[in-house]
Amino acid sequence: MSTVHYLSTLSFPDAWLDRLRERHPRLEVTQITADSAADVPAEVWARTQVLHTGGVFPGAGQAPRLEWIQLDTSGADHLKDTPVWQLPVPITSIGGISPVPMAEYVLMMVLGLAHRLPRAMAVQRSAVWPSLGERWDTLMPRTLRGATLGVIGYGRIGQEIGRLARAHHMDVLGLKRQRTARAGAYFGASARDEAEAEIYTPDRLHDFLARCDFLVVTCPLTEETRGMVDAAALAALKPGAMVVNVARGGIVDEDALLRALRSGHVAGAALDVFDEEPLSPDSPWWTEPGVLLTPHVAGFAPDYAEQVLRLVGENVGRHLAGADLLNLVDRGRGY
C-alpha cells in the first residue's frame, strides 16, 4: 500500500503523533508549527495529501497532491477567501469536540447574568458594603424556573445547552436553518430528542425572539447569519432579555447590542466573541455595566487532544478506505 503524506501545522506532542502513526501505519506524518503558508517548505506542500490545520492554507498550485483538509476549527468561514475553498477536495471541521464545555460555559453565564454577577463583581471592586435596600434593588436574582431560553443554532452544542437548561426547568426554543437534520455523519452526534425543544426556522426569527428571556447564539458565521442579530432583532426580544454569544463576532451587531444595553431593553450580556479579536484596550466592552466578557475561551475542552485524536484517527481511516468523512463542510451552506 502506498504512503499517504499528512501535514499538521499545529503543535501536538510527539506522543500524540506517535499514536496517530500507530493507528495508521500508511501515514507519513510531518508536523510543522506554522503561522503562515510561508513557514511550510515548498517541498512539504508539494507532497502533502492530508492537511490538518487551523488557519494555514497553501496558495494556488502549492499543494497539487492535496486530497483532504481537516480543520482544527468548528467554523469554516475563514476559508472562503482562500484558494483551497475552490479546490475539489473535502474539508472537515473539528465540530463535536466542545459541546459539553461550551454548554457548561453558557449555563455558567446564564446563571451569572440571572444572579447579577456583573453587579456583584462591581461591589467587590468598590470594597463598599451596600445597604440592604441597595442589595435588594440591584442584586435580586432572576428566576430561571419557567424562563424561556432560545438558542440560535440548535445543533450539537445547542442541544447540549438545551439539556442543561431543562435541568433548571427552563423552556427551550431552538432556531435552525431546517427542521430536519443535516445529512452526513458527525463526530460526537447523539440521539438526543430535538422534540424536547420547540423549533423555529429563520423566517420566524422575530417571533422566536419575542419569547426569549435568555438568547444564546451558537450558529456558524455564514452569509445568511452575518448580522442576523441586528437592531431590529434585538428590539424584537422580550424586554429585559439577556444575551449570550459564543458563536462568532459578526452575527450580533455589537453597536446595536450596546445601545440596547444602555437603553435597558437588554438587561445583560455575556460575550466570548467579537467582531475584532483581540479586543482593543479602549473597547467599551471591557467596562460596560451588566456585561460578562471572556477572551474567546468558551470552546476550550479539557480533553481536547484526546478527542481530536479520536476524530482525526477516525477520519484518516475513512479517507484511506474511501468512505464518507465525519464533519464534512457543506460549501453551499458555508459550514
Side-chain angles (χ1 to χ4, degrees), residues 21 34 42 44 50 78 101 130 151 203 233 250-251 260 294 305 314:
R21 292 186 185 98
V44 175
V50 176
H78 59 303
V151 183
D203 59 302
I251 298 171
T294 53
E314 173 68 20

Side-chain angles (χ1 to χ4, degrees), residues 23 44 59 101 176 189 270:
R23 182 167 176 177
V44 175
K176 56 189 298 189

Side-chain angles (χ1 to χ4, degrees), residues 314-326:
E314 173 68 20
N315 260 350
V316 168
R318 287 171 177 247
H319 178 70
L320 296 177
D324 292 339
L325 298 173
L326 298 175

Side-chain angles (χ1 to χ4, degrees), residues 90-312:
I91 299 170
T92 55
S93 76
I94 206 77
I97 298 295
S98 300
V100 171
M102 189 169 283
E104 291 173 351
Y105 172 99
V106 168
L107 260 292
M108 172 184 73
M109 290 303 186
V110 167
L111 285 162
L113 291 173
H115 284 263
R116 314 299 181 185
L117 185 58
R119 173 60 184 164
M121 293 171 66
V123 169
Q124 181 180 358
R125 289 191 297 269
S126 74
V128 176
W129 193 276
S131 68
L132 176 59
E134 290 172 322
R135 282 178 277 154
W136 188 270
D137 291 341
T138 63
L139 294 172
M140 179 65 68
R142 177 182 296 191
T143 183
L144 297 188
R145 183 180 292 266
T148 298
L149 180 140
V151 183
I152 296 179
Y154 204 70
R156 284 166 292 187
I157 297 168
Q159 290 175 39
E160 184 65 19
I161 293 168
R163 186 183 70 82
L164 297 183
R166 282 188 292 273
H168 290 273
H169 304 282
M170 302 182 79
D171 295 325
V172 179
L173 310 178
L175 187 137
K176 56 189 298 189
R177 180 174 177 169
Q178 294 178 326
R179 291 183 180 275
T180 55
R182 280 181 66 189
Y186 295 92
F187 182 75
S190 71
R192 204 166 292 130
D193 184 3
E194 287 193 16
E196 293 178 349
E198 187 177 345
I199 302 299
Y200 284 73
T201 48
D203 59 302
R204 298 187 60 205
L205 173 62
H206 286 199
D207 294 334
F208 164 87
L209 294 170
R211 295 181 58 189
C212 293
D213 296 293
F214 294 87
L215 173 66
V216 180
V217 183
T218 69
C219 61
L221 176 61
T222 68
E223 291 307 311
E224 291 181 342
T225 63
R226 186 178 296 278
M228 173 183 277
V229 185
D230 57 11
L234 291 167
L237 275 172
K238 184 184 293 187
M242 297 178 169
V243 176
V244 180
N245 186 9
V246 293
R248 286 288 188 273
I251 298 171
V252 177
D253 182 328
E254 292 178 11
D255 291 337
L257 178 58
L258 198 60
R259 291 193 299 270
L261 283 162
R262 291 175 176 177
S263 74
H265 182 70
V266 171
L271 305 174
D272 185 55
V273 292
F274 296 88
D275 287 338
E276 294 185 10
E277 296 180 6
L279 197 63
S280 66
D282 60 352
S283 169
W285 289 113
W286 292 110
T287 56
E288 182 66 22
V291 171
L292 296 171
L293 180 156
T294 53
H296 207 143
V297 299
F300 283 12
D303 53 351
Y304 161 81
E306 187 64 32
Q307 289 196 74
V308 172
L309 183 63
R310 285 176 52 211
L311 170 58
V312 172

Side-chain angles (χ1 to χ4, degrees), residues 6 12-25 27 29 31 309:
Y6 161 97
F12 289 109
D14 290 342
W16 190 98
L17 298 170
D18 289 342
R19 290 173 64 191
L20 185 62
R21 292 186 185 98
E22 290 169 5
R23 182 167 176 177
H24 298 291
L27 280 189
V29 176
Q31 177 166 270
L309 183 63

